[in-house]
Amino acid sequence: ECGPDGNPSPIGEGTAVATTTTDADGQYTFADTCLTPGSSYYVEFDLPSGYQAIEQDVCGDPNESDANSEGQTECIDPSDSPSDDIDLGVEPCETISGEVFIDDNSNGCDDEGEAPVSGVEVTLYECGPDGNPLPVGEAPAVATTMTDADGQYSFDTLCLDAGTLYYVEFAIPSGFTATVEDVCGDDTESDANTEGITECVDPSDPPSDDIDLGITPDCETISGEVWIDNNLDGCHDEGESPVSDVTVT
């Protein structure tokens, strides 16, 4: 019920008169509650995960969405029209997602057959006022997630702001290096630099659903030493001298 001033209470502070759930057709009604004509009530919708409320009161007819960005409507008398048409429209949230893959041929592209990498930490940040990523360690994280068994990640539990610029920082796994950045010219390319940081992207623009990282294993190598085996025992004993300037092929 609305407050004495005729306005809804702040979200979470009002005492519920009744609660119901929408049916298979998206319809709801408080049929089991007899509301008082002349009293003012408001509705709070629990926004589904991954969705946000569309713009409120823009159509000028019963087809419009009546709830604000928090899912709360204005106050209404149940004896007035359109108390039987208090609606909510939702749209999928803007988000950023992508994949981490092993770039076997080091060409910077996610080619067919290249393996995904699970368990990679991915952190989302908001870009600075100049539209660029902030120096490492200086920006507060907006969210952190991990790649799944298919190497995929998504910040789909957040509703990101269209028109706001964000960037992603991948924690490059030990023993790997980021592959070359932005060389393929399509959505298969790796988008992060050598530190695992991407450029800034608007989540409402493509390809915000394809912000990827390709990694390559650090190079395997062979190394060793040449020394003078003074006692001819075949072992590098303490005190035996190294030999410099020996060519090894």
Side-chain angles (χ1 to χ4, degrees):
E1 192 168 343
C2 294
D5 61 356
N7 292 311
S9 300
I11 291 284
E13 293 187 13
T15 300
V17 174
T19 299
T20 189
T21 302
T22 56
D23 63 18
D25 296 319
Q27 303 290 321
Y28 77 93
T29 184
F30 296 106
D32 297 332
T33 304
C34 289
L35 303 180
T36 305
S39 294
S40 292
Y41 301 87
Y42 65 96
V43 171
E44 282 184 8
F45 297 92
D46 186 7
L47 297 175
S49 177
Y51 289 85
Q52 60 189 359
I54 64 171
E55 199 169 353
Q56 179 184 17
D57 295 340
V58 296
C59 305
D61 59 36
N63 293 321
E64 67 188 4
S65 181
D66 303 294
N68 63 18
S69 60
E70 295 179 299
Q72 187 183 75
T73 71
E74 297 176 352
C75 291
I76 188 168
D77 183 333
S79 61
D80 292 341
S81 178
S83 64
D84 60 348
D85 210 337
I86 305 301
D87 303 332
L88 168 70
V90 296
E91 61 184 355
C93 291
E94 301 291 355
T95 190
I96 289 176
S97 58
E99 181 184 3
V100 177
F101 63 94
I102 294 178
D103 187 16
D104 289 324
N105 57 7
S106 301
N107 69 346
C109 309
D110 187 6
D111 299 312
E112 186 175 355
E114 289 184 327
V117 185
S118 64
V120 176
E121 184 177 88
V122 189
T123 305
L124 181 69
Y125 297 93
E126 191 170 329
C127 295
D130 62 355
N132 292 310
L134 296 173
V136 174
E138 291 191 12
V142 175
T144 297
T145 189
M146 306 286 284
T147 56
D148 62 18
D150 296 318
Q152 304 287 325
Y153 75 92
S154 178
F155 297 103
D156 55 5
T157 59
L158 297 175
C159 284
L160 303 181
D161 296 324
T164 298
L165 295 178
Y166 301 86
Y167 65 97
V168 169
E169 183 176 329
F170 298 92
I172 299 173
S174 177
F176 290 86
T177 302
T179 190
V180 289
E181 176 186 11
D182 295 339
V183 296
C184 307
D186 57 35
D187 58 11
T188 69
E189 66 188 6
S190 180
D191 304 292
N193 63 17
T194 56
E195 295 180 300
I197 297 173
T198 70
E199 297 178 352
C200 292
V201 63
D202 182 334
S204 63
D205 292 340
S208 62
D209 60 349
D210 211 334
I211 305 300
D212 303 333
L213 169 69
I215 56 176
T216 59
D218 291 341
C219 292
E220 301 293 346
T221 188
I222 294 175
S223 60
E225 183 181 359
V226 178
W227 83 95
I228 297 173
D229 187 14
N230 292 325
N231 58 7
L232 304 178
D233 66 348
C235 303
H236 188 185
D237 301 313
E238 186 176 356
E240 290 182 330
S241 302
V243 182
S244 64
D245 298 323
V246 176
T247 300
V248 185
T249 303

